[in-house]
Amino acid sequence: MSEHPDPETGFLEQLGQRVRTMRALRGMSRKVLAKVSGISERYIAQLESGKGNVSIVLLRRVSNAMGAHLEDLIPSAEAAADWAVLRDLLRKATPQQIAQAKDILAGQHAAAQRQMSFSGIALIGLRGAGKSTLGRMLAKKIGWSFVELNKEIEAQNGLSVAEIIALYGQEGFRRMEQAALGQLLARKELMVLATGGGIVSEPLTFEQILSSFYTIWLKAEPEEHMARVRRQGDLRPMADDRSAMAELRTILLSREPLYARASAVVDTAGLSVNDAASRLIDAVAPVLHNDARAFGLRSAAS
């Protein structure tokens, strides 16, 4: 018997893996995805295991529920790290911008160098990493303003994050997240920015973070993330889910390669708040003791 699956079986296995990874990137449990998409949790489990008998209509409902695009779920040979960013830029481009991009890609014009402004320090990581607590302490220590991106989104739209997601879905929330980030960058002031855990799932928004901030991944053990979130009384989007810890591990595993693109990593596992703050201050020393532009302008592709 052949060890290699037939093409259709291999396709379904890859499709299941992509659905599972995308769901984890967005921090959604199977139960939540089933509820939002109107598809049974059992079917989604079959789909993710590579055994789903997929119709394009059901697959479209799954992608819509995650605020993703249908083609994102389709396995392909496109492996370039920047492909998702380029695709999203093309989706939002004007006809004139598309024409210009075609000229550049055809080699008829040299790409213009874009000068990015340095906006400060951004903290990324799962909920419970300490982004708000440590970010506030860091900002006070260095004399910069402290901003929580989710609070900024809520203030700009007059709704809580939960209300935004309930009314407009994941896709609507990500649009508002990107708009809020754009307004923050337009202030042109140094800040310590605490981001939402799932910001890495949106290529364009995460690209802006990496290009405009000295980015630090606050890392901890899954058990610590869960304990901190429980102490905050916040288990969304995994509330009442018996497999919450398993889901959290899946989310962390899927996001780790993206979190690892940060300029620096601060592991807070087993540390007190004060010790973690001291380690974070040490990590930003290159920004504070040298030319901010030299240390802040880090290409997301590097």
Side-chain angles (χ1 to χ4, degrees):
M1 185 176 180
S2 173
E3 294 181 1
H4 301 288
D6 63 80
E8 289 189 357
T9 299
F11 178 85
L12 287 175
E13 288 176 352
Q14 292 179 57
L15 175 61
Q17 176 63 50
R18 290 177 75 89
V19 171
R20 186 165 59 250
T21 298
M22 190 167 294
R23 174 175 64 77
L25 280 173
R26 282 156 173 75
M28 299 178 76
S29 68
R30 261 190 210 139
K31 183 176 293 184
V32 170
L33 179 55
K35 181 178 180 181
V36 176
S37 66
I39 299 172
S40 74
E41 190 174 349
R42 179 181 177 184
Y43 176 82
I44 291 174
Q46 290 178 330
L47 174 62
E48 292 186 350
S49 69
K51 299 175 182 176
N53 183 11
V54 184
S55 78
I56 194 67
V57 173
L58 291 183
L59 196 58
R60 185 170 181 268
R61 284 164 64 180
V62 169
S63 65
N64 286 343
M66 293 191 290
H69 295 275
L70 182 59
E71 60 267 31
D72 293 341
L73 301 181
I74 307 300
S76 71
E78 293 160 348
D82 290 332
W83 174 249
V85 174
L86 293 172
R87 186 196 57 226
D88 280 2
L89 285 170
L90 284 173
R91 284 186 181 129
K92 298 179 180 180
T94 64
Q96 293 79 10
Q97 289 172 324
I98 291 175
Q100 185 180 8
K102 287 169 64 179
D103 285 343
I104 292 172
L105 292 173
Q108 297 176 22
H109 297 286
Q113 293 292 324
R114 185 175 62 165
Q115 183 66 36
M116 300 293 292
S117 60
F118 175 62
S119 296
I121 296 163
L123 305 179
I124 64 174
L126 280 182
R127 281 182 293 126
K131 291 170 293 185
S132 296
T133 300
L134 299 179
R136 193 172 284 108
M137 293 172 72
L138 174 62
K140 183 177 180 180
K141 176 75 174 179
I142 63 180
W144 293 0
S145 60
F146 172 69
V147 179
E148 288 185 82
L149 186 54
N150 279 356
K151 298 292 185 185
E152 198 71 17
I153 296 168
E154 292 177 337
Q156 290 181 15
N157 294 280
L159 295 167
S160 69
V161 169
E163 289 170 331
I164 291 170
I165 293 175
L167 288 171
Y168 304 105
Q170 286 277 339
E171 187 174 7
F173 172 73
R174 294 304 174 192
R175 284 199 305 269
M176 295 178 190
E177 181 180 59
Q178 188 173 51
L181 178 61
Q183 292 191 36
L184 286 175
L185 294 176
R187 295 180 187 177
K188 298 188 182 300
E189 65 180 41
L190 292 174
M191 69 185 77
V192 175
L193 178 69
T195 66
I199 199 168
V200 296
S201 68
E202 293 303 309
L204 282 178
T205 309
F206 191 38
E207 183 87 3
Q208 281 186 295
I209 293 288
L210 291 172
S211 299
S212 304
F213 294 87
Y214 188 84
T215 310
I216 297 178
W217 173 20
L218 293 183
K219 184 179 181 181
E221 293 298 319
E223 292 79 7
E224 290 181 291
H225 282 291
M226 181 63 75
R228 293 169 187 173
V229 169
R230 288 187 187 280
R231 284 198 295 269
Q232 295 166 9
D234 177 14
L235 279 179
R236 62 178 172 82
M238 296 178 290
D240 303 321
D241 192 335
R242 295 177 184 175
S243 58
M245 178 57 75
E247 291 286 354
L248 187 144
R249 290 182 186 278
T250 300
I251 291 169
L252 181 58
L253 183 64
S254 69
R255 290 178 183 172
E256 274 188 343
L258 297 171
Y259 287 148
R261 296 173 70 192
S263 305
V265 179
V266 172
D267 193 338
T268 65
L271 298 181
S272 67
V273 172
N274 288 335
D275 287 343
S278 296
R279 188 170 291 185
L280 177 58
I281 291 169
D282 289 342
V284 303
V287 179
L288 303 179
H289 298 159
N290 297 277
D291 181 358
R293 286 184 174 81
F295 286 94
L297 296 179
R298 181 180 187 273
S299 170
S302 64

